[in-house]
Amino acid sequence: MTDVTVIGCGVSGLSSAIRLQEAGFSVGIVSRELPPHTTSDVAGAIWHPISAENLPNGLRWAAECREELLRLVDEPGSGVQMIQLLEPVEEGKEGERWQALLDDLRTVPEDELPLGYTGGFRYTVPLIETPIYMAYLVRRFQANGGEIQQALVSTLQKYTGADRLVVNCTGAWAGKLTGDSRVFPIRGQILRLPPQPQVTRAFMSHGGPLGFTYIFPRSQDCLLGGTSEAGSWSVRPNDATSAAIRGRCASVDRSLADAEVIDVRVGLRPGRDEVRLELEETASGPVIHNYGHSGIGHTLAWGCANDVARIARERFG
Ligand SMILES: Cc1cc2nc3c(=O)[nH]c(=O)nc-3n(C[C@H](O)[C@H](O)[C@H](O)COP(=O)(O)OP(=O)(O)OC[C@H]3O[C@@H](n4cnc5c(N)ncnc54)[C@H](O)[C@@H]3O)c2cc1C
């Protein structure tokens, strides 16, 4: 049985590690940050492949990931639920190709949309409650015999070898290990409110008067977002950003204007013009890279993990 070391314990690392175990490999994870302290823990996270159609395999990864998430809806303790989402769209914007993956897409009349929008959609998607889901992934990996070590990796060569495999899932920090100058952080800040029972549906806009705004009601809290600041490495919450997020969300739902905020969190999405998922035969041994999922890492994770396991099987026969 070939030994595999996965570097990184976010959603990409954990999903890859689990699929590799299921393919028969003996897998360990080494990571600087562990759940609940990774970018993946900060995320909303809704299954929404908005930019997936720009990636060569994006729609297939999103479809495969949706399939696993639908299975997890029925698995107690996974933190995955189905939720109805309202998405107003900019004037003149048509439906997108990825929407063909949905079962119940409907157009929404103007009088049910926030002010300034004339078109929009309503549909049901998986919502991943990350505080529950990331802990579930860790348990699933450990239950399969996997071990997690907390350590900063300064060079991949420390773990490579002719008969060993390294899987690089280091997200926004991948450039520091690989020299890949195409990776960059995309800062995202969110507000956590206590559960808001009056909010029963999710909301998300990517353009138009509200710009990038979302409201995700979850069982243990309600998330308000969002921001998308390319190039910023700052993980300190910004008060002006919080006020702007709150203002936009309150214009969608007035009940959110005065609700208590229990936490403000910041995560660094791994920006890249395309996901890097490929085998590299380095001088010291094989490395599969799986990073650069930008703002849709939770939407693609299981599809990418399937490819990591397939490449590993092909490489090691
Ligand atoms: C506010 C916000 C909202 C989001 N909403 C959504 C959403 O609704 N839907 C969606 O699909 N996606 C969403 N995303 C994007 C998604 O969270 C990311 O694409 C995804 O988390 C990336 O996962 P990852 O495992 O590749 O990276 P990460 O979660 O960042 O994990 C990287 C791991 O690598 C480790 N690491 C890095 N460098 C080293 C090193 N040198 N040595 C050891 N370990 C190292 C880190 O410590 C960490 O454990 C959102 C992100 C944010 C911030």
Side-chain angles (χ1 to χ4, degrees):
M1 191 158 37
T2 308
D3 283 344
V4 181
T5 305
V6 174
I7 317 289
C9 200
V11 70
S12 304
L14 283 163
S15 310
S16 300
I18 290 168
R19 282 294 188 252
L20 286 161
Q21 287 176 320
E22 290 168 355
F25 292 93
S26 168
V27 187
I29 293 178
V30 181
S31 185
R32 188 192 59 219
E33 301 288 357
L34 306 180
H37 301 295
T38 72
T39 300
S40 302
D41 292 271
V42 177
I46 208 145
W47 179 90
H48 191 281
I50 180 158
S51 48
E53 50 196 46
N54 304 328
L55 304 171
N57 294 300
L59 288 182
R60 176 175 63 79
W61 288 333
E64 290 179 16
C65 189
R66 181 170 177 272
E67 201 177 303
E68 174 70 4
L69 294 174
L70 291 182
R71 197 188 68 73
L72 292 180
V73 170
D74 295 323
E75 191 161 323
S78 74
V80 184
Q81 56 170 300
M82 298 303 285
I83 195 158
Q84 199 180 85
L85 178 76
L86 172 64
E87 182 181 11
V89 294
E90 280 172 89
E91 190 144 13
K93 196 153 186 238
E94 301 292 315
E96 298 178 29
R97 270 198 302 141
W98 68 266
Q99 291 178 334
L101 298 172
L102 299 168
D103 301 320
D104 64 346
L105 183 72
R106 276 171 288 153
T107 52
V108 177
E110 194 173 341
D111 61 355
E112 290 178 28
L113 295 168
L115 208 62
Y117 290 93
T118 54
F121 301 99
R122 207 185 278 287
Y123 48 87
T124 308
V125 278
L127 175 67
I128 300 157
E129 215 165 316
T130 47
I132 302 172
Y133 181 69
M134 293 299 290
Y136 159 82
L137 293 181
V138 168
R139 282 198 310 277
R140 185 165 155 184
F141 172 68
Q142 290 174 330
N144 288 340
E147 288 188 8
I148 299 176
Q149 184 198 344
Q150 185 160 22
L152 172 72
V153 175
S154 47
T155 160
L156 295 175
Q157 280 94 308
K158 181 169 177 196
Y159 298 93
T160 46
D163 300 323
R164 301 181 43 78
L165 174 64
V166 167
V167 182
N168 173 20
C169 300
T170 49
W173 297 269
K176 298 184 197 298
L177 280 176
T178 60
D180 182 347
S181 58
R182 290 159 68 186
V183 200
F184 58 94
I186 307 176
R187 182 181 183 280
Q189 181 166 320
I190 49 124
L191 311 189
R192 282 185 62 229
L193 314 182
Q196 304 289 307
Q198 80 285 6
V199 182
T200 55
R201 292 188 291 217
F203 173 91
M204 181 155 66
S205 66
H206 281 95
L210 289 169
F212 182 35
T213 297
Y214 55 83
I215 303 168
F216 296 155
R218 312 195 296 189
S219 68
Q220 299 173 343
D221 56 15
C222 179
L223 285 197
L224 309 188
T227 59
S228 187
E229 296 168 65
S232 172
W233 284 103
S234 169
V235 289
R236 289 240 316 261
N238 177 299
D239 290 345
T241 302
S242 293
I245 290 172
R246 160 89 80 159
R248 281 181 278 129
C249 292
S251 77
V252 176
D253 184 332
R254 294 307 309 161
S255 73
L256 300 172
D258 304 312
E260 177 197 358
V261 174
I262 52 176
D263 198 8
V264 181
R265 296 195 71 183
V266 172
L268 301 177
R269 304 176 183 93
R272 201 171 186 271
D273 53 342
E274 62 177 323
V275 174
R276 184 177 185 199
L277 205 171
E278 63 182 0
L279 173 69
E280 182 186 6
E281 296 289 354
T282 74
S284 55
V287 176
I288 298 176
H289 300 283
N290 179 19
Y291 62 82
H293 305 81
S294 300
I296 54 172
H298 279 283
T299 301
L300 304 180
W302 289 107
C304 293
N306 290 343
D307 278 12
V308 168
R310 183 183 47 75
I311 294 169
R313 271 196 311 265
E314 285 168 9
R315 171 63 175 73
F316 289 98

